[in-house]
Amino acid sequence: MNAYTILRHFHLTTLFYLPLILGFLVCCGEPTGSSSPEDEHSFLLKRAASLELDTDYSPPPGDSMHHHASGFAKILCSAVFVTGLDAEFAAENIGYFTSPYTTRALMNGYEIDHARKEVRVTTEDGTIRVARYLGDQGCVCLPIDNPVIYFRPIEVKSQLPPPESTAWPMGDVTRIEDIPAGLDYSIVQRAVDTAFRDPEGMTAAFVVTWKGHIIGERYREGLDRHTRLESWSMGKSLTATLIGVLIQQGVYTLDQPAPIPEWQTPGDARSDIRISDILRMSSGLRFRAPQDPDYDPSQGYPDHLYVYTGSVNSFQYAANRPQQWPPNSVGRYRNSDPVLANYLIRLGAESMGEDYLSFPQKHLFDKVGVRDMVMETDPYGNFLLQGYEFGTARDWARLGNLYLNDGVINSERILPEGFVDFVSTVAPAWEADGRPIYGGFFWINTEKDFPVPKEAYYMAGAGGQYTIIIPSHDLVIVKLSHYKGAARSRIDLENALALLLRTVPESRSR
């Protein structure tokens, strides 16, 4: 029996739905606090209504089931050709975000074409959605009416020396004698093992660094430090990092109006949206997302997912959405903003005369020791770093340590002074909404979502992906999971964090 047959005949129970719902709430940062959820919900809606502008909205075009099939094809393609997973395992356990588990059962099957490096998913009405593997650009969802791509894929070459002969963090060589003294490493090992305690949590990778050194590391059977795993919205934090690189290089400033070409017509109110507003998820664009407090599925397929599955020019689509609120007034977790930030990355890189597809490797990854990151695109070659990227646990740890070190590595400043403070400080619009949990494409532990200091901040992705930065303790913790186990792996992660904080002393003033 293949995975499709299992999905079609498997009846989900309440016990299965519950952890998925909890995991969704966790990964999307739903607010916590003393007030009731009803009070918070009412406040969010009333405040947003008082600021809303009179603009029209049109939902994404196309059939939602065709979009789900596109998401499923891409998830399978990346799982098989990027991560190296078995297709049936992936169909059962990976990437429910753009292709819900229950929706997969409504498809008429999938085909893995290893010769063409394609995945084809067929819907009940006979429509076929195709995802194709493009090498260093990963997998791309092809347009439904004309299954082609509109850019030339390239090989992205790192200039770093071989990792097996280069010391961490620029390579993979770690030595016992380099591990700092002063910890009870038996507790550290207990913490690592705790992250894998529940097999149904499906933790895939766990890495702990202290003062920049790897002090704990473990992988699920069949995976290792070279395995590139789905990372989902941790890519938003990577997007912020690339914007920071361009700011450091003098291309942009945080407070300048975002030079999106579609907004430059005289009188266009969107021309007032600053780069900082975009990074803070407070551009105010009308862009429906499942995380919206007033989200209604009956109103059509959400824009938030369409920029993954629509096989359109995602940059143009997001740039042409109307304004719903004035910028920097309402905080909403919507993919319009990371998509537009990636638009700015493309515009900025090309303004420097740089090749866009290789810009991240040359100007960021080679600086911090990252060799294995795969960043996927739409059919027009635009990075979809709102969630379509695959990295190793060690690579996310490298990026986390760049922030722990205030944007400096090997005595070179990669991120501008003050940028780390910017991303790790609560965004004003989110503060005004009564949800002091979001900064600049990073989540903030203000309300103690994790059992670590409230000053900690973190990258987070759907399905249980985290890179947690704890400056007060010089810690970076990376946990990657397979989507199905998100809620249960979260429990193990919290217990592991509590153990780590028992043995790692506070080393910086808060």
Side-chain angles (χ1 to χ4, degrees):
M1 181 179 290
N2 64 24
Y4 162 69
T5 306
I6 294 170
L7 288 168
R8 177 171 284 280
H9 293 285
F10 186 70
H11 297 287
L12 292 173
T13 64
T14 302
L15 289 175
F16 185 74
Y17 271 122
L18 182 59
L20 287 183
I21 294 168
L22 291 174
F24 176 80
L25 294 176
V26 163
C27 81
C28 297
E30 287 297 309
T32 58
S34 57
S35 59
S36 71
E38 293 80 6
D39 290 342
E40 292 174 345
H41 188 261
S42 177
F43 174 78
L44 283 170
L45 294 181
K46 288 179 180 178
R47 183 172 184 275
S50 72
L51 295 166
E52 185 151 356
L53 305 174
D54 184 17
T55 56
D56 295 328
Y57 170 77
S58 299
D63 182 277
S64 62
M65 193 58 66
H66 296 166
H67 298 323
H68 289 311
S70 173
F72 191 22
K74 207 295 301 181
I75 287 162
L76 288 175
C77 181
S78 299
V80 172
F81 296 113
V82 176
T83 303
L85 298 175
D86 175 77
E88 291 192 9
F89 176 88
E92 178 70 21
N93 300 297
I94 299 295
Y96 299 167
F97 190 64
T98 56
S99 175
Y101 187 93
T102 50
T103 304
R104 299 178 188 191
L106 304 177
M107 304 298 168
N108 274 347
Y110 62 82
E111 177 187 1
I112 311 295
D113 187 333
H114 288 274
R116 295 173 59 89
K117 294 191 175 180
E118 287 185 352
V119 174
R120 293 182 283 275
V121 172
T122 304
T123 65
E124 285 190 316
D125 66 5
T127 300
I128 298 174
R129 298 310 309 265
V130 180
R132 180 179 299 158
Y133 176 65
L134 303 177
D136 286 349
Q137 279 72 63
C139 290
V140 62
C141 301
L142 302 184
I144 191 170
D145 53 348
N146 188 24
V148 298
I149 59 172
Y150 300 96
F151 75 105
R152 182 177 63 85
I154 67 169
E155 181 182 1
V156 179
K157 295 183 178 179
S158 171
Q159 300 302 308
L160 292 167
E164 61 271 12
S165 59
T166 306
W168 166 268
M170 301 308 293
D172 283 332
V173 177
T174 57
R175 302 181 305 171
I176 294 177
E177 55 266 34
D178 291 336
I179 297 177
L183 298 185
D184 184 339
Y185 280 101
S186 66
I187 296 179
V188 173
Q189 188 56 53
R190 279 178 55 199
V192 172
D193 293 339
T194 296
F196 290 81
R197 184 193 61 81
D198 185 352
E200 293 187 23
M202 304 189 75
T203 297
F206 193 73
V207 172
V208 182
T209 73
W210 181 47
K211 297 183 177 180
H213 298 275
I214 296 175
I215 62 170
E217 183 174 25
R218 182 174 162 182
Y219 298 90
R220 181 178 70 80
E221 184 179 356
L223 310 180
D224 60 29
R225 66 183 183 226
H226 302 296
T227 304
R228 295 171 291 197
L229 292 156
E230 58 174 332
S231 307
W232 288 105
S233 287
M234 290 207 297
K236 294 176 172 66
S237 303
L238 172 55
T239 296
T241 308
L242 290 167
I243 289 288
V245 168
L246 287 166
I247 293 172
Q248 174 62 18
Q249 296 185 4
V251 177
Y252 296 128
T253 65
L254 274 173
D255 288 329
Q256 76 175 90
I260 301 295
E262 288 82 354
W263 299 350
Q264 303 313 308
T265 303
D268 192 327
R270 297 172 300 181
S271 64
D272 292 332
I273 300 172
R274 300 169 300 173
I275 291 177
S276 59
D277 300 328
I278 291 173
L279 293 178
R280 285 168 165 163
M281 288 281 196
S282 53
S283 69
L285 292 182
R286 198 176 286 279
F287 202 89
R288 290 177 57 253
Q291 295 87 343
D292 289 345
D294 57 348
Y295 178 69
D296 181 356
S298 69
Q299 294 179 351
Y301 194 77
D303 307 89
H304 189 80
L305 300 184
Y306 184 69
V307 288
Y308 287 114
T309 64
S311 299
V312 295
N313 185 317
S314 59
F315 292 177
Q316 290 182 4
Y317 182 82
N320 283 296
R321 295 296 88 190
Q323 195 78 3
Q324 184 171 4
W325 302 290
N328 196 34
S329 63
V330 174
R332 289 292 185 271
Y333 191 81
R334 294 175 168 179
N335 273 336
S336 52
D337 293 13
V339 168
L340 290 169
N342 277 289
Y343 194 178
L344 293 172
I345 292 166
R346 179 161 201 162
L347 294 169
E350 292 178 346
S351 74
M352 298 167 62
E354 296 283 349
D355 175 76
Y356 167 64
L357 293 176
S358 60
F359 178 84
Q361 188 66 50
K362 178 179 178 182
H363 290 271
L364 174 61
F365 296 152
D366 276 353
K367 305 286 187 179
V368 300
V370 171
R371 297 168 176 80
D372 299 317
M373 189 75 68
V374 168
M375 303 185 298
E376 297 178 325
T377 74
D378 64 23
Y380 295 82
N382 301 315
F383 286 132
L384 297 179
L385 296 189
Q386 72 271 17
Y388 274 176
E389 73 293 319
F390 288 74
T392 71
R394 283 193 171 198
D395 283 347
W396 289 112
R398 290 179 171 101
L399 290 168
N401 274 284
L402 176 64
Y403 280 87
L404 191 67
N405 295 328
D406 192 37
V408 176
I409 190 166
N410 295 326
S411 301
E412 179 181 1
R413 178 161 286 283
I414 308 299
L415 304 176
E417 291 187 14
F419 190 77
V420 171
D421 288 338
F422 168 81
V423 303
S424 60
T425 299
V426 175
W430 287 72
E431 184 84 57
D433 272 337
R435 298 194 296 174
I437 54 177
Y438 205 74
F441 287 169
F442 280 78
W443 297 94
I444 305 173
N445 198 44
T446 314
E447 296 189 342
K448 298 284 285 184
D449 240 12
F450 287 109
V452 298
K454 66 179 183 179
E455 295 82 10
Y457 57 106
Y458 54 97
M459 314 176 195
Q465 326 309 329
Y466 296 103
T467 299
I468 302 170
I469 302 158
I470 311 176
S472 60
H473 290 69
D474 281 311
L475 278 168
V476 172
I477 298 102
V478 177
K479 192 273 288 184
L480 303 177
S481 295
H482 300 308
Y483 209 106
K484 188 176 183 178
R488 299 183 74 139
S489 71
R490 170 65 182 248
I491 296 170
D492 288 347
L493 172 61
E494 292 184 1
N495 290 332
L497 291 171
L499 281 169
L500 286 169
L501 268 289
R502 276 179 48 187
T503 188
V504 178
E506 187 170 338
S507 51
R508 304 188 195 182
S509 59
R510 302 185 191 180

